[in-house]
Amino acid sequence: MTGQFESTRFASQSAIRWASSLRNSRSCRIRPSTICNFLAASSRVTRHERRVRNRRRFSISAKVKPSCEASEEDAARRLRALCGFPPVWNTRTMRVTVCKWPDETPAFTRGWGQLAAHVTAHRSELVLLPQMPFSPWFAASRKFDAALWKAAVEAHDAWESRLPELGAAAVLGTRPVDFGNERYNTGFVWEAATGSRAAHAKTFLSNEKGARETTWYQRAVPEFTPAQVGNACIGFLICTELWAMEEARIYGEEGVHILVTPRLTSAATLEMWIAGGRVAAVLAGAFGLSSNRADGRGAYGGQGWVVGPDGEVLALTGEQDPFMTVDLDLACAERAKKTYPRSVFAQRSAR
């Protein structure tokens, strides 16, 4: 089983690297859907294998816990060798920052300096930006505008070169991406040592007033695969995807410590979204982070949040506090997965 999982995972990674190399190639003759279909087939096997692997992980964890004769690092290596997954214990913290991010270009240019100062002062290790932060929100229009889309892609390309200004912090968010003849809203992870990588392309798109997403970019093939950032295992639920609660629960089975929700939502629905973030965190037994855009007209709600694995609200951004930084105990998320209500679903998965 493990061999099949590993070969599938590496094949999927190879396809992603190959697809990324073709992203800006005008000579690409292979339709992106061909690659997506391959990845979809791979993801079905991968998800099954993850569930098998998780059951093995819980059954063997007692055999590889640290003892007086072995360091925690040695035990972690044994665990990886036995089940191909990061260690289930993690006693260190991760310092995270969420944002209330301005929508207008001059405002977020000023806000960037304030964010950089905040991240430096608080020594943040992870910064979550909202949905497509480096261009004004264009998807409110019912009519696709190729020039506007191109400008948004170029703006995100340009601002990506400024991410090192946030120091050693990993930066997460989403951005517009051209993939051959298709367009996507793609979650990314940027780290100083490795640069930017795609983590998840948005699958569930809205077609409502203020968010005509289906006009502007395609639905991606469902692939909710955790990303490793430092010592944390992270799952993306981009904006509307927060309501795909089954994905949050499966992320929990896959061992995520943190769910991230870069979003753009209105002030009128803020309480509903915070409630959704709390439920998703409880289902996953993980911390929930969200950053939102805000505009001067009040169309977008602005507030970001940090919630705990049991749904407790740990921090909310606001007018006076557009950035909030919290220390997360990653081991707390590991412990939460063994308690109610997560323990009930873990028992069902183990059958």
Side-chain angles (χ1 to χ4, degrees):
M1 272 299 190
T2 304
Q4 185 182 5
F5 165 75
E6 292 295 327
S7 63
T8 302
R9 180 167 64 88
F10 291 138
S12 180
Q13 289 175 344
S14 298
I16 292 169
R17 287 194 295 270
W18 171 55
S20 298
S21 70
L22 296 176
R23 191 185 80 183
N24 296 317
S25 174
R26 296 182 181 273
S27 62
C28 178
R29 301 281 184 184
I30 302 173
R31 284 185 56 77
S33 56
T34 302
I35 301 169
C36 290
N37 287 339
F38 167 75
L39 293 180
S42 298
S43 68
R44 286 193 292 271
V45 177
T46 301
R47 175 148 289 177
H48 170 72
E49 293 292 348
R50 284 198 200 100
R51 288 172 172 169
V52 172
R53 179 185 57 182
N54 287 344
R55 291 198 289 271
R56 293 182 62 213
R57 172 165 62 95
F58 287 116
S59 67
I60 65 174
S61 59
K63 302 176 184 177
V64 294
K65 286 183 179 178
S67 66
C68 58
E69 293 82 22
S71 67
E72 184 170 319
E73 290 74 19
D74 290 334
R77 282 193 291 272
R78 289 180 60 199
L79 182 59
R80 289 193 184 95
L82 284 167
C83 64
F85 202 76
V88 297
W89 59 87
N90 192 330
T91 57
R92 73 182 299 276
T93 61
M94 175 170 276
R95 184 165 293 181
V96 302
T97 297
V98 295
C99 310
K100 174 183 177 181
W101 190 249
D103 183 64
E104 298 85 357
T105 302
F108 73 63
T109 301
R110 293 191 299 272
W112 181 258
Q114 297 168 2
L115 174 61
H118 177 96
V119 168
T120 300
H122 290 80
R123 300 189 303 279
S124 302
E125 297 172 278
L126 182 150
V127 177
L128 178 64
L129 298 175
Q131 190 168 204
M132 295 195 283
F134 297 127
S135 64
W137 180 243
F138 50 79
S141 173
R142 290 176 177 270
K143 185 178 180 181
F144 175 71
D145 185 327
L148 198 56
W149 173 266
K150 181 181 178 183
V153 171
E154 291 175 348
H156 282 78
D157 287 340
W159 276 91
E160 187 175 302
S161 66
R162 297 189 60 176
L163 295 182
E165 295 175 20
L166 299 185
V171 184
L172 284 65
T174 84
R175 56 157 298 154
V177 170
D178 285 312
F179 192 90
N181 296 323
E182 297 178 356
R183 302 176 300 276
Y184 294 97
N185 179 0
T186 302
F188 69 86
V189 174
W190 180 91
E191 294 179 278
T194 59
S196 185
R197 68 182 189 272
H200 165 68
K202 191 173 183 181
T203 297
F204 300 111
L205 308 183
S206 63
N207 186 26
E208 307 293 332
K209 181 180 178 181
R212 304 293 179 180
E213 293 183 283
T214 55
T215 298
W216 287 86
Y217 37 85
Q218 278 75 31
R219 291 183 175 90
V221 173
E223 175 66 14
F224 292 85
T225 302
Q228 195 72 24
V229 181
N231 290 312
C233 186
I234 293 177
F236 273 79
L237 294 172
I238 301 172
C239 201
T240 304
E241 293 179 338
L242 178 67
W243 302 103
M245 294 296 178
E246 179 66 5
E247 299 298 341
R249 189 187 66 76
I250 294 173
Y251 268 142
E253 288 183 358
E254 294 172 341
V256 300
H257 301 96
I258 301 171
L259 293 177
V260 295
T261 303
R263 73 189 212 281
L264 179 145
T265 60
S266 70
T269 60
L270 180 62
E271 290 186 7
M272 178 184 75
W273 280 89
I274 293 175
R278 297 174 68 184
V279 173
V282 169
L283 287 174
F287 293 96
L289 311 184
S290 184
S291 292
N292 195 12
R293 298 166 69 118
D295 73 338
R297 304 182 305 277
Y300 313 131
Q303 269 190 306
W305 67 66
V306 180
V307 298
D310 288 316
E312 64 275 29
V313 177
L314 304 178
L316 288 172
T317 64
E319 283 296 329
Q320 302 304 316
D321 300 295
F323 316 116
M324 293 296 290
T325 297
V326 178
D327 286 333
L328 307 183
D329 180 358
L330 302 182
C332 180
E334 294 289 358
R335 292 191 295 269
K337 290 172 177 49
K338 301 174 184 178
T339 63
Y340 184 87
R342 282 78 47 158
S343 57
V344 175
F345 295 107
Q347 292 167 12
R348 185 183 71 174
S349 298
R351 287 200 295 267

